[in-house]
Amino acid sequence: MEKRQKVLFVCTGNSCRSQIAEGLLRHLAPNQFEVYSAGSHPSKVHPNAITVMKELSIDISNHTSDSISQYLDKHIDIVITVCNEANKVCPVFPGDAKRVHWSIDDPFQGWDTNPSHLDNFRDTIKDIKDNIIKFLCEQESS
């Protein structure tokens, strides 16, 4: 059996975009990758991210917000930064980890769970899903 590639999504707070990306890739390619997410300044998983992912029947409520440093020795194959700030501060990973950058707008508008903010998170899901589908197509053709 072929070893699954390890993919790490990186954002600043590891609360919204990287968490959504982790959940989506696990859902869309459950047997293809080992998927993780981390932040340069981890905080907590945003409740709105959990809510909009549940709308897709994807449960990220057990995810944790982790520091990038926890993954430096985990033999990560692909590092995908999902925000410009994370792309600037993301460390170089040992080995020949491939770096990919997606500039995804931040849905974060504070920690409140105001339903009026959910559309920002839904837009983020759409953007990330489009990038993941493109990424999966590229993986198949390489």
Side-chain angles (χ1 to χ4, degrees):
M1 185 169 130
E2 191 175 318
K3 174 181 123 27
R4 295 188 304 165
Q5 287 189 305
K6 293 180 181 179
V7 176
L8 176 66
F9 289 102
V10 177
C11 198
T12 309
N14 191 219
S15 62
C16 304
R17 292 168 285 185
S18 52
Q19 294 288 346
I20 289 169
E22 177 185 355
L24 282 171
L25 184 57
R26 283 185 180 187
H27 179 75
L28 294 170
N31 301 312
Q32 195 170 347
F33 303 98
E34 288 182 43
V35 187
Y36 310 95
S37 67
S40 57
H41 298 85
S43 54
K44 61 182 180 180
V45 182
H46 198 292
N48 286 347
I50 294 168
T51 297
V52 295
M53 290 296 281
K54 278 186 183 171
E55 294 173 355
L56 302 175
S57 299
I58 301 172
D59 184 4
I60 64 168
S61 63
N62 291 323
H63 285 198
T64 58
S65 185
D66 303 324
S67 172
I68 297 169
S69 62
Q70 291 179 231
Y71 293 93
L72 288 172
D73 64 351
K74 302 292 188 215
H75 309 288
I76 300 297
D77 299 296
I78 303 169
V79 177
I80 302 175
T81 52
V82 293
C83 73
N84 295 334
E85 190 59 34
N87 191 40
K88 290 178 196 172
V89 301
C90 187
V92 174
F93 278 72
D96 56 356
K98 178 181 175 182
R99 280 284 294 268
V100 177
H101 176 63
W102 301 340
S103 182
I104 306 291
D105 289 339
D106 192 354
F108 185 88
Q109 295 183 348
W111 288 105
D112 67 80
T113 56
N114 187 326
S116 68
H117 295 165
L118 292 178
D119 282 342
N120 294 332
F121 284 80
R122 292 180 186 113
D123 291 343
T124 298
I125 286 175
K126 183 188 178 317
D127 290 346
I128 292 172
K129 187 175 182 180
D130 290 347
N131 278 284
I132 287 176
I133 290 169
K134 182 179 172 191
F135 168 77
L136 291 172
C137 289
E138 291 168 355
Q139 294 301 305
E140 288 177 11
S141 63
S142 63

